Each structure stands twice: as C-alpha cells, then as structure tokens.
Amino acid sequence: MSRTGRDPHPVIACGEVRTCLLPTRDALDERAAVKLLRLRPDERVRVSRHPNRYVVSPEVLTGVDCPLPTDTGARVRAVGTVGSHASLVEGRVIQATASFSLPAVGTDRRQAWSYYLVRPGSLVPVGQLPQRALVRGFLLGHRPGRLDVGSIAESVLARISRQDRILDHDPPLTAADTRLRWTAVRTAAGEEPSSLFTKGEDGLRTLELSLPSGLPPTAAVGLCEELALHDWLLTTVADKLDGLPTGAADDRAVLRVLRPLVDHLLHLWMPRARVDRVLQTVWNQLEETPGYSRQWTAHAQRIRDQLALRAIHLRDEVPGRR
Amino acid sequence: MLVFAASDKGGTGRSVTSANLAYHHALDGSDVCFLDFDFGSPTAATVFDLPDVPAEAEGTGLHAYLRGAANEPLRIDVWSRTEHLDLRDRPAGSGRLVLVPGDRSGGEFVTGEEHLHRCVDLILRLHREFDVIVVDLSAGRSYAVDLVLAATSPRGGLAGLKHRWLVFHRWTRQHVAAAAELAFGPRGIVQAGAAMGHEPDVLRAAIRFVRAAVPDLESPPWSHVTPAQYAWMRHCDSTLETLASTRGVGRTWTLASIPLEPVLQWQERLITIEDVYDRQIANQATWDALIGLAQQLTDDTLWGER
C-alpha cells in the first residue's frame, strides 16, 4: 500500500493515459509521425531518437469549470485547464495523456479566466479540497456531471484517428486499448517515492503514486506513460500467446499470430527510457515483483523459439533435403 | 471488418441472427463487438442473456453517447456477464465478445454533424480493437441506416474501412419485395448512399441478403403434411424464388438461408452447440447454417472486392 493513506499530503497531480496500436499497416516514419502529431500550428512537435524513436505532440489545453470527482459525493468545484498531448513510440504505439495538477490551497471564490490561463495544466479548487476524497474518487472513475479526464485523452486519440491521409486503418493485429488512471501525492519529507499499481477489468489500470516534493508533475506523467506503454505491450503479447495453437497441424495459424508480434512489437520494449532518475525506484519495484522484464524476455524467447521450430519443420518438408 | 445488419421490417430475425453471427465469429477466435443501433427497441441485451444491462444502459448506452449525454458508451463483456449457462465458461481459443448496448433514453434524433462525428469516432476506436464489428440497425430505411451510410461515405470518415451489408428478410412475398425495396428501391440503401457520395456499384456489391426463418420443405414438420399442402408449398417456394431473382434478391445474392428454428420461435437467444447435441432442442441445420453464414461473410471470394 502506498503511504497516501496516512497523512493528508497535498495532491499534486491526476491524469489518465490511453494506449493503443496506431491503426496503420506499417509503422509511421518520423516525418509522417511529426505531421500526425501536429495538434497545434504554433508549437513544434518534439522528437527524441534515443534510445528509441519517440514523437510528442505539443500540449493542448482544455478549459474546465466543473465539480471534481470525489468518492464521498462532496462537491468541489475547480476551474482551470487540463493539459493533454499525444506521443508515438517507434511510429507504432500511440498514447494520449490528459492530466492536471492542483495547488495545495484553492481560492475563496472563482477568479477571472486570466488568473487560470497563466497556470496551464492546473486546476484551482474554489474553496477547500478534500484530498483523500478526490484521490479515491478520481481512481474510482467518471461519474456523470463530474470532470472526465479520460474523455479528454480519448478526444485527442479520436482527433488523431480521423487523419485519413496518414492512417490507412488497416492494422496488422487488433489489440485492446488500455487506460491508466493515476494520482500523485507528495510524500512526507525524507520518504522514498512509492506506488500502488492495480490491473482491473476491461483494460483499466490504476496507479497511486507518492512522490518527493520538488519533483514536477511532468515527471509523474513521464513515469505513467512509460508504465502504460510497457503494460500494454506485455498485455497484448501475453493475450496473443495465450492458448496459441502450437499443436496445430497447420503452421500458418501460428505464424499468423506470431509474425505481427515480431514485425511490430518485440523491439518496442525499452524500460526506463524516459523516466526521471528519482522515479527509477518506482520502476525497480515493479521489476522486482511481478517482474515485467522477466516476463517479457520469456515471451520474446518463446516467440523466437516457436519461429525457429517452424523454420526447421519447413526445411524438412522441402523435397530433396532429407 | 464492419458488418451492417439491416432489415426491411421488424420481426425478421435480424437482431437474433446477427447476434448469433457475432457469437460464431467470437467462437472462431475473432475479437467481436456488437453495436446495438436498433434505437427504437434495443434487444441485444436479451439475446445475449444480460438481464441487468438495459437498466445499466439508461443514460450510458449508445443513444446517450451519440446525443452527447455520455462521453463513452457502456461496454459489456458478454462472456463474463451473461446469464446464459453455456456461455459462462468462455470456450478455449475464442475471441473477445463485447456488447455496446442501446438505450431508450431521450427522444428521437435530430440528424446532425455532431452525431456523425461521434459515430465515426466510436467506430474508428472499436476498429482498432476488434476484428469484426456487427452493427444491428433499426428496421427499414431508418435513422440508423442513414447514419452509417453517411459515416461510410467518402466524406464520412469510415470510407477506408472494409464494410459489408447484410439485409435480413423472411421468406414471404411481402418480405422479399420489401427487402429488395430496402436495398435497391428509390428510397433504398443504394440510392440513399449514392446521394451521399457512395459509388452505387461498389455499394451494391457490398450488399448481400440473408433469408431468415425459412421452412425447409424436406424436413419435419413440413415434409409430413398432406400431398396437397406439400404441392402448394413447393409451388409457393418456387414462385418466391422467381420473384426474388427478378428483384435482385435471388440465390446469387443470398449469403445464407437460416431455417425456421423452433428454439428461436420461442426465445430470442444464442444457439449453442449444447442446444444442438446435449439438450437436442435446436436443429443441427440451424447450427450449420449459422456457421455457413459466418464463413461466407469473411470469404472475400464471394464478395466483389472494393
């Protein structure tokens, strides 16, 4: 359990990451990726080439003035902007993130928009902020009439999906989307960062983070995107390998499953590529138990072994070889 | 692949047959999503045996989503939620089977760009996640039909997605004529599509017919009637066949004939292999016809490709 249960640490950020396969036959090259993610004409799309190709759209702001989700039903009005952006990993996996940060104290009454606009990606509560109720309510999910951060992330994906000139909507495999809903609070002075990651039904994941003060909310966003990406990869590959008909007389059935994994997913595993150094401990905890990289290596090895066996089988079938 | 299930009238077995079609694709290992676009009377929850879903879908179903009242429509994992005993244990090697239920909430639609965008966004998203998306459309040249025609038109946003139309009809004079009218008539799918920018020939090539509740004259009880009755029925059958072929609904354009099935006369439900072999309440011929329909739907050689 994270330490968030003990003290009323101020909430610093909440958000949701949606991860899915880009609906194209082939992975996008860098130029097309930059074009796809140009969500704002006035800001540049950022590209990082190491340790893998990673393209990030400019931040888009959505103005909101509505009650925050709380598990107690308490109405907490907040005003400000929710920041969202999309990122594309190796031209193949797309992620959309919507998030906001919260100040420790709100304002007594609603301010003019100019007040909120100088705080991009920040929601300022009007009145008191019941932090525990907000964290729990946010992780429980959307209720009608409350802020829905997930739908802001989804609208970024929808906007990108509509770009027919770049996307052919003919993906080499189908994979379920995942949603990672996360909250981050501050730890008490001197405490190590900690996390609680849970996997739910229907692609829903939740992550409760406690982070040392002084760490910007963007660091939490980076960690969550990284975790969401690797969780999606592992889930997708594990689902495809689950019940693989290895005993089937027809090799093609197996190859139809394995080939897209080799072509499109196996090279994407790159943990800690863009995680803040302070947060590496959080990732290390997940590597220890349940041991994601271990599982991934086992899956990748299995796929390669299956392909090698089938290659031997095919070679034996070539007339004149034996 | 997108599959649009349309019918000339209600009571043609469109919903129940297309739900069975979705079930067969899922059994076959495909990830399948069933969208209940039957806005007047959503029935899919009944067919999949999900008694709690209609109440749950009030305000969160497809209708609410398209109107903008819900940000994302409710999704129901059929394997885990169904009360159908045979479906509780998800068969080995099967794909996902998800229902996006309809709801009765709210009034009629006002046709508008906003609905179209929301429909396109939803289907693009589901298309990433599912191999087969079955869209059960309200009967007749309904709002639902117009909506998906607009969505798949060149300016709609779904034009690049492989899509096929199934028009369900019963095996009677009136139904055959009405099915032809719905597909090719002056107010039919092809004409309406052409007005929205579809290529009429391409659209025509994407339409096939499914005959539902067809009496098989060579099997009981129909083969046990008096000679006079039998002769009359044979005559009717061949007259119907002639009528169908002159209207463009003939055998060439028919993907499957689903026999009249006693189980479906009594209950809108999925026919399972247990119904056929263990309980012996459903006919083998029905099971085979449904398998045939599922196979022919995805057999590209039977469809003039785009």
Side-chain angles (χ1 to χ4, degrees):
Chain A
M1 179 64 202
S2 70
R3 290 167 179 139
T4 55
R6 269 186 6 215
D7 298 311
H9 305 308
V11 176
I12 56 167
C14 303
E16 190 164 322
V17 187
R18 301 216 166 180
T19 308
C20 63
L21 190 76
L22 190 74
T24 49
R25 171 114 310 251
D26 297 310
L28 283 194
D29 60 24
E30 190 181 306
R31 254 163 38 108
V34 168
K35 217 167 136 191
L36 184 73
L37 295 192
R38 193 169 290 141
L39 300 182
R40 278 171 66 166
D42 58 335
E43 264 189 65
R44 287 183 53 191
V45 174
R46 288 175 296 141
V47 179
S48 152
R49 297 193 181 91
H50 303 288
N52 55 8
R53 205 169 289 266
Y54 186 77
V55 182
V56 190
S57 79
E59 195 82 355
V60 178
L61 296 176
T62 307
V64 297
D65 178 354
C66 62
L68 294 172
T70 51
D71 68 334
T72 54
R75 274 182 82 83
V76 185
R77 182 181 174 192
V79 191
T81 50
V82 174
S84 56
H85 63 261
S87 48
L88 186 61
V89 184
E90 288 285 353
R92 192 68 268 186
V93 180
I94 188 138
Q95 295 187 291
T97 304
S99 64
F100 60 90
S101 58
L102 287 155
V105 278
T107 52
D108 289 341
R109 54 193 154 135
R110 193 196 189 282
Q111 309 292 312
W113 269 109
S114 54
Y115 174 86
Y116 302 106
L117 287 178
V118 294
R119 295 167 173 78
S122 180
L123 291 188
V124 184
V126 180
Q128 287 289 320
L129 180 69
Q131 285 145 7
R132 287 298 305 156
L134 168 65
V135 166
R136 285 193 299 254
F138 186 82
L139 293 173
L140 274 176
H142 173 62
R143 310 239 182 98
R146 301 289 170 114
L147 176 67
D148 185 2
V149 170
S151 75
I152 297 178
E154 191 59 43
S155 71
V156 174
L157 281 182
R159 185 172 159 194
I160 289 168
S161 299
R162 276 185 234 130
Q163 300 205 33
D164 299 350
R165 290 200 188 147
I166 303 175
L167 305 176
D168 54 24
H169 294 289
D170 185 21
L173 68 155
T174 51
D177 295 4
T178 60
R179 302 167 284 155
L180 172 70
R181 204 176 284 149
W182 56 272
T183 57
V185 299
R186 295 235 186 268
T187 57
E191 283 185 6
E192 283 283 294
S194 68
S195 68
L196 175 67
F197 182 59
T198 49
K199 291 176 96 152
E201 291 295 307
D202 199 22
L204 176 68
R205 318 283 186 244
T206 60
L207 180 68
E208 289 183 69
L209 286 170
S210 312
L211 304 178
S213 53
L215 207 63
T218 47
V221 173
L223 174 72
C224 294
E225 286 177 336
E226 180 105 359
L227 180 57
L229 169 71
H230 289 89
D231 169 67
W232 180 88
L233 280 171
L234 200 49
T235 307
T236 305
V237 170
D239 280 355
K240 297 285 174 194
L241 293 182
D242 188 21
L244 187 73
T246 46
D250 183 8
D251 281 341
R252 277 173 299 183
V254 175
L255 285 179
R256 261 200 304 274
V257 178
L258 297 185
R259 199 184 156 145
L261 302 182
V262 175
D263 282 344
H264 300 278
L265 300 185
L266 282 196
H267 59 289
L268 300 183
W269 192 262
M270 195 71 70
R272 283 176 291 231
R274 289 174 187 86
V275 175
D276 190 288
R277 216 153 45 85
V278 180
L279 294 179
Q280 301 245 345
T281 51
V282 173
W283 185 266
N284 291 344
Q285 286 164 10
L286 291 166
E287 285 287 29
E288 244 169 62
T289 22
Y292 284 153
S293 287
R294 222 164 37 211
Q295 191 181 0
W296 178 265
T297 312
H299 282 325
Q301 196 55 51
R302 180 167 176 224
I303 291 169
R304 291 184 182 122
D305 288 347
Q306 283 292 333
L307 289 176
L309 280 174
R310 271 159 182 81
I312 295 169
H313 183 209
L314 287 174
R315 196 193 60 175
D316 288 349
E317 281 191 346
V318 176
R321 285 294 303 216
R322 276 210 284 199
Chain B
M1 179 196 294
L2 282 170
V3 182
F4 300 123
S7 67
D8 51 309
K9 298 164 180 292
T12 50
R14 180 201 66 241
S15 296
V16 76
T17 313
S18 52
N20 272 286
L21 176 68
Y23 169 62
H24 275 270
H25 276 294
L27 284 182
D28 221 26
S30 298
D31 291 328
V32 185
C33 183
F34 189 93
L35 289 171
D36 195 348
F37 265 42
D38 188 351
F39 296 125
S41 55
T43 48
T46 313
V47 182
F48 288 111
D49 230 327
L50 299 158
D52 299 336
V53 166
E56 206 178 321
E58 287 303 317
T60 56
L62 265 172
H63 200 282
Y65 166 75
L66 290 175
R67 281 189 301 123
N71 291 326
E72 287 172 85
L74 184 66
R75 283 162 75 148
I76 304 288
D77 176 35
V78 174
W79 297 124
S80 64
R81 292 282 306 273
T82 181
E83 307 235 326
H84 195 306
L85 288 177
D86 301 342
L87 268 59
R88 285 262 188 84
D89 292 323
R90 179 172 166 178
S94 61
R96 285 182 295 141
L97 180 57
V98 169
L99 167 69
V100 181
D103 55 344
R104 282 169 222 273
S105 66
E108 253 307 289
F109 278 111
V110 184
T111 318
E113 288 286 301
E114 185 59 27
H115 294 147
L116 179 62
H117 286 316
R118 293 180 80 84
C119 172
V120 167
D121 286 347
L122 175 66
I123 291 182
L124 283 179
R125 174 168 179 205
L126 295 174
H127 190 258
R128 286 200 296 264
E129 297 191 69
F130 294 93
D131 302 302
V132 179
I133 301 168
V134 179
V135 185
D136 184 26
L137 304 166
S138 320
R141 167 77 193 286
S142 54
Y143 171 73
V145 170
D146 281 0
L147 183 64
V148 298
L149 272 175
T152 50
S153 73
R155 55 167 208 97
L158 301 181
L161 275 54
K162 191 194 253 185
H163 54 271
R164 289 171 178 173
W165 287 79
L166 295 180
V167 176
F168 291 80
H169 65 87
R170 295 189 56 181
W171 194 226
T172 69
R173 276 193 297 194
Q174 229 197 339
H175 276 275
V176 168
E181 195 68 15
L182 175 66
F184 310 125
R187 287 196 66 254
I189 294 169
V190 173
Q191 292 297 324
M196 295 180 196
H198 282 269
E199 283 289 336
D201 289 344
V202 174
L203 191 51
R204 199 182 290 268
I207 299 176
R208 292 292 183 281
F209 296 87
V210 177
R211 299 173 184 176
V214 181
D216 179 3
L217 297 184
E218 305 314 322
S219 70
W222 313 101
S223 57
H224 293 177
V225 294
T226 64
Q229 285 175 315
Y230 183 78
W232 184 79
M233 288 194 300
R234 274 235 82 92
H235 172 71
C236 285
D237 192 50
S238 69
T239 318
L240 269 177
E241 201 66 73
T242 315
L243 173 73
S245 66
T246 54
R247 299 288 182 99
V249 189
R251 280 181 189 275
T252 323
W253 303 104
T254 296
L255 210 55
S257 281
I258 312 295
L260 187 65
E261 170 56 55
V263 170
L264 296 183
Q265 295 298 305
W266 290 96
Q267 244 177 27
E268 303 84 358
R269 62 181 273 167
L270 298 184
I271 305 263
T272 62
I273 192 90
E274 287 85 352
D275 289 336
V276 180
Y277 296 114
D278 297 353
R279 292 182 206 101
Q280 306 195 349
I281 52 170
N283 290 324
Q284 166 92 43
T286 312
W287 178 258
D288 293 344
L290 288 167
I291 290 179
L293 174 60
Q295 282 169 350
Q296 305 218 349
L297 180 66
T298 46
D299 185 349
D300 289 345
T301 58
L302 298 175
W303 296 76
E305 272 315 289
R306 294 151 59 77

